[in-house]
Amino acid sequence: MTDIISTRVADVSGDEAMDGKAPLRRGYWSAVARDGRRLGKWFVAPTVILLLFIVVFPLAMQLYLSFTWWTPLDGVRWYRAFESFNAGDNYARLAVDSALWSAIWRTLVIMVFAVPAQFLLGLGLAYLFVDQFPGRKFFYSVLLTPMMIVPAVVGLMFFLVFQGTGPFNHTFGLPASFTWLTDVHRAMLSVIIADTWQWTPLMFLILLSGMLAVPPDQLLAARLLGGSSWQNFRKIILPRMKPVIAIALVLRSVECFKIFDLNFVMTKGGPGVETETVSLYLYKKTFADLDWAYVGAIGLVILFVLSAIAASGLAFASKKAKG
Amino acid sequence: MHAIEIKGAQKSFPGFTLGPLDLAVRRGEVFGIFGPPSAGKTSVLRLILGLLPQDKGAVLVGGADAASMEASERDMSMVFQNLALFPHMSGRENIVFPLVERNVPEDEIAVRLDAVSEVLHVSHILHKKPAQMSGGERQRIALGRALVVDSRAILLDEPISALDARLREEMRVELKRLQRTKNQTFVYVSHDEEEVMAISDRVAVMIDGQIAQIGEPDEIYNRPGTLGVAKVVGSPPMNLFEGRFSSDGRYFECEDFAVPYPLVREALKGKVATVGIRPEDIREDDAAASHEIALRSIEPLGGYTIVNAVLGHRLVKIRASGRVTSVDRYGRRVTFDPRHLHVFDGEGSRCDG
Amino acid sequence: MVRPSPGALALKYALILFACAIVAYPLLWMVTMAFKPYPEWTTGTGMTWFPKNPTLQNFEFIFFGHAKGAVVSLDRTIVGPLIASIVTSVCGTALAVVAGTLSSYAVVRYGILSGLPLQVLQLRLFPPLAVMIPIMVMWAFLGAGDTWWGLSLIYGIVTLPFAFWLMKTFFEEVPIEIEDAARVSGCSHWRVFYRITLPIVAPGLATCALFVFIMNWSDYLLALMLTQKNWMTLPVYMSTLTSAMGGQMYGVKSALGLIAAIPPVVFGLLIQKHLVRGLTFGALKQ
Amino acid sequence: MSSITLNRVTKRFDQFTALENLSLDILEGEFVALLGPSGCGKTTTMNMIAGLDEPSEGGIYFDGESLSGIPLQDRNIGFVFQNYAIFTHLSVYKNLAYGLEVRRLPKSEIERRVRAMADRMDLGKDLDRPATSLSVNELQKLAIGRSAVVEPRVFLLDEPLSSLDAGFRAYMRAELKVLQQEFGQTMIYVTHDQIEAMSLADKIAVIDKGRLMQYGSPLAVYDDPANRFVANFVGSPRINLVDGELRDEAGRRSLVLNGGGMIPLSGGVDADFARGAAVHGGSIGIRPQDIYFGDRRADDDIRLTGTVESLERVGPRRLAYIRMQEARFLAVDDRDELSVREEVAFHLVANKCMAFNLKTGERLRANS
């Protein structure tokens, strides 16, 4: 059998072997298929169109509207909004809108308590999971489930749990009249508890992966040099986790700032405006007051600030991660 | 006409420039490319294949300029260092992939597949996926994929470096036999000197993106054209002594030598130079022009022995044929074999004419 | 490999079990509530975790709009919102994954789209609320309000950056030599993508699809704003249940909550390995 | 430092036996190489000595006291990884000092010992630089220095030279040998490269498929292999091994090769095969340098003829591949007198031929 190959090739030198091929299919699409860059452009087209049409264009429209008093009620088409042009009054109003600033303050309060709590709980849990132990995979899956549940359903769960006649009061021996969701101070606390319950697993996940990202050989070398597991954690694992910690905190803070589902389902921002966060305030302004131009202005400012924080935080982290 | 030619090709990367390169691979020849890791060897293969467009110069394939030819149209095949087998395809699908892509008729595919799998003894693993194969088996499938099609040349990028020492030696002999029986053109890249020198008809030594020398393996070993080549060719490496020529050009002075070393031929008077001597060209001998050495350790390797010593204050390696069982069983004075003395001038190029 | 002392192991288990208890506490309450008949919804008759006489009454109620013991009936059953959630999530996922995959491959392999356009894709943490106004104006203008394709389109766009970055990490893991081997064997760029790269990243594609599906299924705000009646999704339907019926339909809402929660949890466990990579937008691979 | 004794150590991973009753006595200050193909169990052995794994059966002893139950960090073992496992986020100084810092030694003593070690490994000038800025060769020295500074009882090296380039590898072999003698450390060195094992080790333990093939000095293992595997694995260029059936026609013994061709036996090898009367499948091993061309030198040398298949002439390597029917002989041709496809007569030095029982691989010796 082997000689078929050798005789076939021996007399047919490399070049003549070429003409045995089928003629190339000429045509626009087969040309595109052959040229990397043109194929790349066609691949990118759908995304660019979507981004252009649904992200860039709307942002431009929002900027344009934010300089007018336009609302959907006045029966004027949006592109004629320049008739009510107001040269930045919306932005001026934004600066002095006490309702907005108190909403921002309440959102920051949630962040200041929820994010550190989630970080510390997540770090503790991650440290427990660094070494292998029987049942690790099972417990790992159980502890991850909260973050996979639909936030609105988590809101419902804690809505039920924090009812006067709910299990929480019962477990801690509090009277049924002890109110959570309708109490001025405890409403905010219950939202923080719900948020922590749902998102601590995310911190646990990211921090654990940071701990496990330490090359196993280096950890082993540290042990062989006589380091105890606590010494190795403090001197080898923790210092290498700076980028991971940065990612975790940035991600969680930005997401937390946008909190809407939990407090909308649990307390609808109540009692009064005690748990009204920025998102809720914007939602109310949009649907109750139909003050769209003003909401557009606030939206742009928030978008700019949030993206800046997120981009710089992640850039810092991935640069460090590569270092 | 050459199978492949590169004329003044150059490609600059951030912090590294490849070329300008000039080389020609004759049809039916094994053209080796040897050099330390990251000398740009793989990039040369990618230039030839058209996977890496060059900034300047030209790559000729079968005599014609290949600029207009896509990688798929240059009709060459390659065995990659990490073998690059298609993980989601079986051994058979991997091997016949080039034929299927060139819509070769079904019956001819079957014939070629049988021939190749018999030559490479892979018929029993054609159904397996690469993940289920051993290193040696994967390596033979990658070879099968390159040999199954009549390509102008087969490019091999360190194809057997991942294998065990023993398997490597067998595969080397096998590759040479395959190449010989099919009169195939090979371009063989490796950083393992013994491998390249054993399998290649001609070798190009590449250092830091430049071709330092092209020649027959024996010629490159015995007459390295530059200091750079001398340093990378030969294991254990050549012993080098920096110094200068005497004013009358007939002696070589160096602080490691107690007495200036007489040269056979006239040399550049008073110039800075480097003298090199290979470990196998140093002999135990207390004649007049011998040098005093202090022994440090010996490496008994069965067929020969490596003696580590200090000459002046430079570590020197000597290859003693036969047995030296302990440090004190080796002489205190050695001489260099004048016929195999290598002399390089200040810029590192060979200057004994 | 190092076996910790038995004491440390016991402490570890204790802490982990305590954490699991905290996770299970609210979940268990909702799950058991879903199977409690009307009288047991409030704890007037004494607090019990497990239903005295478990019943499927609540599920029956939400699927058919009425049930034996129920005193009131529903004008809208769960079937509409369930279909809405499924349709919009799946279509949104398809749009984001296809566009994201193609564009990330072009960026990784051919270096198209560097600079500003790539930065726009950086808006991974895209706060939808901040750009709701123009979206609502346009959706009204296009007549996309309260339509399946309107909601699917916005779901696709909001998750597109995420799909792009996740698929980019998968494409970066395909060794370039495998594609080169295919090209050298006579494949055009398209066939290399179609026959070699895509099958190799197939598991990544599945992970990305599941991830994006979970995000779309779990959305509340976008659906709330862009749908009124006929294409309302599950979460929105759930919150309308209380206001419409006055009394707190705990058992019924728990049943609804349970149904809404199951798909993301199941899919989430399927893609557990890639969670870190996904949730940190590719910045961290584990 | 201390001596190491392995007593019938066995390791099973569920049904796969990675190691089968391995017994080794390593004296204090001895340099022993564990040599074998990848997956033969040599790394498993080292991991058990270091404490990364517990043996299924048998015991490991340092200076006579058993190690079982002693946790990893209390065994005081110097371990050099194949990829060095340098702490990439720390400086060179911090890397060297880690072992001392975890032992909570006074700052001044740490400083002194680290500087001394840094100078010994000529890393003195790089102490404050980040460890990642070092070259591969410097990283290698840092890895050894980091383990040596805590003066471990035993030093384990896992193929430390494999990622170095050829030139520096030869230099580093000599350096490692001198370091070992200077420290007087007991060292175990795992490698699949037999040249490295022969050049460095005082004793070599050749392991294959989890079983100890032979344990002896490099030259003993080279000259007097205990079985066919050791003969085939040790020695470069590789030994020639031809297999066949033993035939005895009226007192004249010969080996009929499987692929045709016949080798008449005489001299030492004839005596070796004679002793193993019951043996009928035999294998002869002959090193390339024990084959010569031209006329016969000793009367009981074995004369064969074959054709030159290919030549390898690079520097000191002057080799010729001679084909005799299906068998192929690699021979040294240092007088460059051969040319390809030439019919040539060659002789095997009879008492340098090694006889093996083909079935068991055991070495057959007339005297033993």
Side-chain angles (χ1 to χ4, degrees):
Chain A
M1 239 359 212
T2 55
D3 48 16
I4 287 197
I5 283 285
S6 42
T7 47
R8 168 69 55 77
V9 169
D11 45 42
V12 172
S13 69
D15 320 327
E16 285 74 13
M18 281 261 294
D19 39 44
K21 288 213 325 301
L24 288 175
R25 294 182 311 286
R26 283 286 164 251
Y28 177 74
W29 283 111
S30 93
V32 166
R34 296 203 172 289
D35 171 0
R37 287 205 69 78
R38 282 166 65 188
L39 186 68
K41 288 203 169 46
W42 275 105
F43 273 10
V44 165
T47 302
V48 168
I49 292 168
L50 282 177
L51 286 183
L52 222 60
F53 171 64
I54 307 285
V55 172
V56 177
F57 174 68
L59 284 179
M61 179 204 288
Q62 186 167 349
L63 189 63
Y64 163 63
L65 286 179
S66 69
F67 285 93
T68 70
W69 295 112
W70 182 81
T71 72
L73 291 178
D74 14 343
V76 168
R77 305 299 287 185
W78 67 272
Y79 39 80
R80 299 191 58 72
F82 55 83
E83 285 153 5
S84 53
F85 182 72
N86 66 12
D89 287 0
N90 276 332
Y91 291 96
R93 181 174 150 210
L94 177 152
V96 292
D97 177 351
S98 64
L100 173 65
W101 285 106
S102 58
I104 291 176
W105 165 251
R106 281 190 290 275
T107 314
L108 290 179
V109 161
I110 294 182
M111 272 174 65
V112 158
F113 283 99
V115 173
Q118 290 158 20
F119 176 73
L120 292 175
L121 286 171
L123 193 64
L125 272 177
Y127 183 63
L128 290 178
F129 273 77
V130 168
D131 294 327
Q132 295 295 341
F133 58 89
R136 177 173 189 266
K137 203 146 181 19
F138 169 72
F139 289 120
Y140 182 81
S141 311
V142 166
L143 290 179
L144 287 190
T145 38
M147 68 179 187
M148 298 178 200
I149 300 171
V150 175
V153 171
V154 172
L156 168 69
M157 277 199 286
F158 279 90
F159 173 82
L160 295 175
V161 161
F162 280 125
Q163 284 306 311
T165 58
F168 206 75
N169 288 351
H170 180 80
T171 315
F172 291 93
L174 299 166
S177 62
F178 193 87
T179 60
W180 284 87
L181 300 176
T182 52
D183 170 271
V184 174
H185 301 294
R186 287 194 290 276
M188 179 72 86
L189 182 60
S190 47
V191 168
I192 290 174
I193 289 174
D195 190 70
T196 302
W197 180 86
Q198 173 155 37
W199 293 111
T200 296
L202 176 65
M203 281 291 189
F204 159 63
L205 186 72
I206 297 177
L207 294 173
L208 180 60
S209 71
M211 288 181 190
L212 297 178
V214 174
D217 276 355
Q218 291 190 28
L219 213 52
L220 209 49
R223 261 203 206 115
L224 282 161
L225 287 167
S228 70
S229 51
W230 174 248
Q231 281 172 322
N232 295 343
F233 179 74
R234 195 162 42 79
K235 295 164 89 80
I236 304 291
I237 295 178
L238 222 48
R240 298 177 60 93
M241 279 180 64
K242 288 197 199 67
V244 168
I245 292 171
I247 287 179
L249 290 176
V250 162
L251 274 185
R252 210 35 237 139
S253 310
V254 169
E255 287 298 314
C256 202
F257 187 82
K258 299 192 289 186
I259 190 164
F260 174 81
D261 308 30
L262 284 184
N263 47 2
F264 187 82
V265 168
M266 285 170 72
T267 59
K268 283 243 176 332
V273 284
E274 277 314 310
T275 57
E276 187 184 82
T277 60
V278 173
S279 308
L280 248 68
Y281 176 72
L282 288 181
Y283 176 75
K284 198 172 70 177
K285 275 292 203 200
T286 311
F287 284 90
D289 312 349
L290 287 174
D291 201 344
W292 285 18
Y294 179 50
V295 169
I298 302 174
L300 277 181
V301 168
I302 290 177
L303 178 64
F304 184 71
V305 168
L306 273 189
S307 302
I309 296 171
S312 58
L314 288 180
F316 162 78
S318 40
K319 178 170 61 58
K320 270 283 200 172
K322 289 198 184 52
Chain B
M1 184 178 56
H2 295 296
I4 301 166
E5 260 181 280
I6 301 183
K7 288 207 166 81
Q10 196 166 347
K11 171 80 183 175
S12 37
F13 300 90
F16 179 82
T17 35
L18 181 68
L21 303 174
D22 288 281
L23 60 89
V25 178
R26 299 190 194 97
R27 204 171 310 115
E29 174 190 42
V30 178
F31 185 88
I33 302 181
F34 163 73
S38 74
K41 309 189 289 291
T42 305
S43 308
V44 172
L45 296 186
R46 292 169 70 84
L47 268 180
I48 296 173
L49 282 169
L51 298 170
L52 182 70
Q54 71 269 17
D55 301 341
K56 283 205 286 292
V59 174
L60 307 179
V61 168
D65 186 337
S68 61
M69 293 158 82
E70 252 296 313
S72 48
E73 292 147 358
R74 297 194 184 196
D75 200 41
M76 279 185 270
S77 35
M78 175 152 174
V79 178
F80 292 80
Q81 182 169 12
N82 59 16
L83 303 179
L85 291 179
F86 306 130
H88 57 303
M89 291 184 185
S90 70
R92 169 180 290 90
E93 287 160 332
N94 263 287
I95 292 181
V96 299
F97 185 80
L99 299 176
V100 168
E101 284 311 305
R102 291 194 171 94
N103 17 60
V104 166
E106 205 48 46
D107 51 9
E108 192 182 337
I109 290 183
V111 162
R112 285 173 177 277
L113 176 64
D114 286 349
V116 162
S117 50
E118 191 160 322
V119 163
L120 294 169
H121 322 300
V122 286
S123 327
H124 60 294
I125 51 169
L126 287 178
H127 60 286
K128 281 195 198 165
K129 286 274 187 10
Q132 304 152 331
M133 296 179 192
S134 75
E137 286 167 346
R138 268 198 294 270
Q139 205 268 327
R140 288 204 295 272
I141 294 287
L143 253 172
R145 181 174 63 184
L147 293 173
V148 79
V149 70
D150 303 334
S151 43
R152 175 184 319 288
I154 296 181
L155 279 55
L156 302 107
D157 187 0
E158 317 224 10
I160 54 177
S161 56
L163 302 179
D164 241 6
R166 205 46 76 225
L167 199 54
R168 243 203 322 266
E169 228 164 278
E170 276 147 29
M171 281 314 288
R172 197 168 76 208
V173 172
E174 188 71 16
L175 272 177
K176 185 75 180 169
R177 194 178 57 73
L178 273 170
Q179 188 268 339
R180 181 67 36 76
T181 51
K182 296 179 65 203
N183 194 19
Q184 188 55 285
T185 309
F186 272 17
V187 179
Y188 191 95
V189 158
S190 173
H191 67 277
D192 181 331
E193 178 207 334
E194 188 187 311
E195 200 178 293
V196 178
M197 299 289 186
I199 201 167
S200 311
D201 302 326
R202 280 191 314 140
V203 176
V205 179
M206 265 190 86
I207 301 168
D208 297 337
Q210 312 295 333
I211 291 187
Q213 185 175 358
I214 298 184
E216 310 252 337
D218 216 16
E219 195 222 332
I220 286 186
Y221 189 90
N222 294 329
R223 293 176 54 74
T226 70
L227 188 54
V229 173
K231 280 182 179 158
V232 293
V233 172
S235 172
M238 182 186 285
N239 303 302
L240 297 169
F241 301 91
E242 281 100 11
R244 61 173 43 293
F245 292 113
S246 59
S247 46
D248 62 6
R250 291 186 46 254
Y251 290 91
F252 176 74
E253 292 141 2
C254 148
E255 66 294 84
D256 293 316
F257 296 163
V259 64
Y261 189 84
L263 292 172
V264 174
R265 269 183 302 284
E266 200 75 19
L268 314 151
K269 296 181 177 54
K271 283 279 183 307
V272 169
T274 309
V275 157
I277 186 78
R278 290 210 182 277
E280 66 269 19
D281 299 329
I282 301 178
R283 238 163 250 89
E284 208 183 340
D285 170 8
D286 45 20
S290 60
H291 304 278
E292 221 251 326
I293 53 169
L295 291 160
R296 284 189 56 177
S297 66
I298 55 149
E299 299 173 18
L301 297 174
Y304 58 93
T305 309
I306 298 291
V307 175
N308 297 312
V310 174
L311 194 153
H313 37 68
R314 181 175 299 283
L315 184 64
V316 160
K317 283 184 176 288
I318 303 167
R319 175 179 169 132
S321 62
R323 291 299 161 77
V324 175
T325 49
S326 73
V327 180
D328 43 37
R329 299 277 297 283
Y330 194 80
R332 285 292 169 278
R333 301 193 69 84
V334 289
T335 54
F336 301 158
D337 174 350
R339 289 190 325 252
H340 296 299
L341 204 66
H342 308 271
V343 182
F344 303 96
D345 62 21
E347 289 80 36
S349 45
R350 190 177 192 81
C351 66
D352 54 5
Chain C
M1 263 82 72
V2 172
R3 259 159 299 304
S5 63
L9 202 60
L11 178 64
K12 180 190 288 248
Y13 274 108
L15 288 175
I16 290 177
L17 286 174
F18 179 66
C20 291
I22 293 177
V23 163
Y25 187 89
L27 258 175
L28 199 59
W29 181 252
M30 183 178 82
V31 170
T32 51
M33 179 68 84
F35 296 97
K36 284 179 181 167
Y38 172 72
E40 288 182 53
W41 286 350
T42 59
T43 55
T45 60
M47 231 297 282
T48 54
W49 274 92
F50 294 96
K52 292 199 187 67
N53 29 54
T55 159
L56 290 179
Q57 200 182 19
N58 299 327
F59 294 94
E60 196 190 323
F61 183 75
I62 52 176
F63 272 96
F64 305 107
H66 55 273
K68 314 205 271 327
V71 65
V72 77
S73 73
L74 270 179
D75 53 2
R76 167 182 303 284
T77 69
I78 189 176
V79 175
L82 191 60
I83 294 169
S85 274
I86 293 172
V87 166
T88 53
S89 300
V90 168
C91 300
T93 304
L95 178 66
V97 169
V98 168
T101 304
L102 292 180
S103 47
S104 60
Y105 180 74
V107 166
V108 168
R109 219 35 107 226
Y110 307 123
I112 315 265
L113 249 192
S114 54
L116 182 63
L118 204 56
Q119 295 318 322
V120 169
L121 273 173
Q122 289 276 22
L123 293 176
R124 295 170 280 197
L125 299 160
F126 197 81
L129 199 63
V131 285
M132 275 321 291
I133 304 303
I135 300 289
M136 284 197 285
V137 168
M138 287 172 60
W139 256 237
F141 181 77
L142 294 170
D146 203 8
T147 63
W148 69 273
W149 55 274
L151 196 53
S152 304
L153 187 58
I154 193 64
Y155 277 166
I157 290 138
V158 166
T159 51
L160 175 56
F162 175 86
F164 173 87
W165 285 102
L166 187 60
M167 286 315 294
K168 183 165 178 289
T169 63
F170 284 116
F171 281 126
E172 276 160 354
E173 277 172 11
V174 176
I176 184 98
E177 288 86 5
I178 292 187
E179 297 200 1
D180 289 345
R183 279 180 58 201
V184 161
S185 306
C187 269
S188 67
H189 287 278
W190 161 252
R191 282 184 69 80
V192 167
F193 173 72
Y194 173 68
R195 284 204 61 189
I196 304 294
T197 316
L198 222 47
I200 293 177
V201 285
L205 216 56
T207 307
C208 184
L210 286 178
F211 244 119
V212 172
F213 179 86
I214 293 174
M215 293 167 88
N216 292 337
W217 178 278
S218 311
D219 162 70
Y220 179 58
L221 182 62
L222 289 173
L224 197 59
M225 287 190 163
L226 291 177
T227 62
Q228 277 75 37
K229 289 196 304 310
N230 33 32
W231 281 100
M232 168 199 303
T233 60
L234 268 181
V236 176
Y237 174 68
M238 206 166 60
S239 68
T240 59
L241 218 53
T242 31
S243 50
M245 299 313 299
Q248 300 294 41
M249 316 273 293
Y250 295 161
V252 170
K253 283 175 72 175
S254 301
L256 190 59
L258 194 59
I259 293 173
I262 288 172
V265 170
V266 168
F267 291 147
L269 292 179
L270 282 179
I271 52 169
Q272 205 176 315
K273 327 216 259 344
H274 298 292
L275 276 181
V276 178
R277 176 202 307 245
L279 292 168
T280 57
F281 301 96
L284 255 181
K285 288 190 203 51
Q286 180 38 266
Chain D
M1 350 94 216
S2 38
S3 68
I4 307 170
T5 318
L6 273 72
N7 177 6
R8 301 179 60 77
V9 172
T10 304
K11 180 68 184 176
R12 269 183 288 279
F13 294 106
D14 32 69
Q15 71 288 38
F16 166 66
T17 318
L19 208 58
E20 216 175 320
N21 62 56
L22 174 71
S23 298
L24 278 181
D25 281 324
I26 299 170
L27 308 178
E28 198 175 320
E30 219 176 16
F31 193 125
V32 169
L34 300 185
L35 174 67
S38 46
C40 72
K42 56 186 188 295
T43 309
T44 314
T45 311
M46 190 169 66
N47 286 344
M48 286 194 286
I49 295 173
L52 305 175
D53 242 332
E54 286 298 324
S56 314
E57 281 155 38
I60 300 176
Y61 306 85
F62 275 8
D63 289 341
E65 12 119 12
S66 165
L67 286 183
S68 71
I70 299 177
L72 193 77
Q73 53 266 37
D74 303 340
R75 296 192 181 194
N76 191 5
I77 285 173
F79 197 108
V80 178
F81 290 79
Q82 186 169 357
N83 56 16
Y84 314 123
I86 293 297
F87 302 139
T88 45
H89 62 298
L90 296 177
S91 70
V92 171
Y93 180 88
K94 276 277 177 218
N95 264 282
L96 286 171
Y98 192 83
L100 305 173
E101 277 168 6
V102 289
R103 284 172 172 70
R104 295 192 183 77
L105 295 173
K107 194 104 185 54
S108 57
E109 199 195 334
I110 292 179
E111 176 97 18
R112 181 178 55 75
R113 281 167 71 172
V114 167
R115 287 213 180 283
M117 181 55 71
D119 295 341
R120 173 70 196 77
M121 310 299 273
D122 67 59
L123 294 168
K125 54 187 179 352
D126 315 311
L127 278 177
D128 306 321
R129 286 169 53 201
T132 44
S133 64
L134 298 181
S135 71
V136 175
N137 310 338
E138 288 160 337
L139 276 179
Q140 225 280 328
K141 287 194 252 179
L142 176 60
I144 295 175
R146 177 179 67 176
S147 297
V149 83
V150 296
E151 282 139 17
R153 305 175 62 164
V154 155
F155 233 93
L156 304 179
L157 301 105
D158 183 7
E159 307 207 29
L161 306 184
S162 52
S163 41
L164 305 180
D165 58 66
F168 187 75
R169 196 182 302 152
Y171 160 76
M172 204 53 209
R173 273 208 297 265
E175 189 64 21
L176 210 53
K177 185 82 178 167
V178 167
L179 263 176
Q180 194 264 342
Q181 275 145 7
E182 227 170 73
F183 289 160
Q185 275 288 16
T186 315
M187 268 198 191
I188 298 182
Y189 183 94
V190 166
T191 181
H192 65 276
D193 182 334
Q194 46 92 21
I195 291 181
E196 235 163 76
M198 291 194 70
S199 68
L200 279 171
D202 302 333
K203 284 230 193 70
I204 299 179
V206 183
I207 301 177
D208 181 38
K209 297 190 182 65
R211 276 196 307 285
L212 179 64
M213 291 289 134
Q214 188 170 355
Y215 182 48
S217 74
L219 290 181
V221 168
Y222 181 84
D223 290 337
D224 191 7
N227 55 42
R228 193 172 182 284
F229 174 83
V230 176
N232 181 35
F233 195 80
V234 175
S236 165
R238 188 162 55 91
I239 193 172
N240 297 299
L241 278 167
V242 284
D243 305 341
E245 287 295 314
L246 276 170
R247 186 145 324 139
D248 186 342
E249 281 137 4
R252 289 200 47 68
R253 256 180 304 282
S254 63
L255 186 70
V256 175
L257 303 186
N258 297 344
M262 192 269 291
I263 299 183
L265 301 178
S266 56
V269 69
D270 184 30
D272 294 342
F273 273 117
R275 216 186 66 69
V279 169
H280 40 75
S283 166
I284 291 180
I286 179 84
R287 299 236 181 250
Q289 65 263 34
D290 298 333
I291 299 177
Y292 61 90
F293 302 93
D295 32 29
R296 187 190 291 262
R297 294 184 190 148
D299 45 23
D300 56 12
D301 284 352
I302 301 165
R303 185 179 183 287
L304 299 171
T305 55
T307 53
V308 177
E309 198 178 40
S310 68
L311 296 168
E312 253 184 51
R313 289 187 174 142
V314 177
R317 276 175 72 88
R318 320 305 276 181
L319 297 171
Y321 287 89
I322 319 279
R323 175 172 286 286
M324 187 177 93
Q325 267 102 4
E326 280 304 302
R328 187 193 297 132
F329 288 89
L330 179 62
V332 169
D333 121 57
D334 41 25
R335 281 200 291 281
D336 291 358
E337 61 213 14
L338 297 178
S339 52
V340 182
R341 273 191 288 286
E342 174 200 354
E343 275 295 319
V344 70
F346 57 98
H347 295 83
L348 314 183
V349 177
N351 41 33
K352 285 281 190 192
C353 289
M354 303 171 193
F356 298 98
N357 172 333
L358 185 55
K359 203 152 54 56
T360 66
E362 277 313 303
R363 175 79 184 284
L364 302 173
R365 288 192 194 80
N367 40 35
S368 73

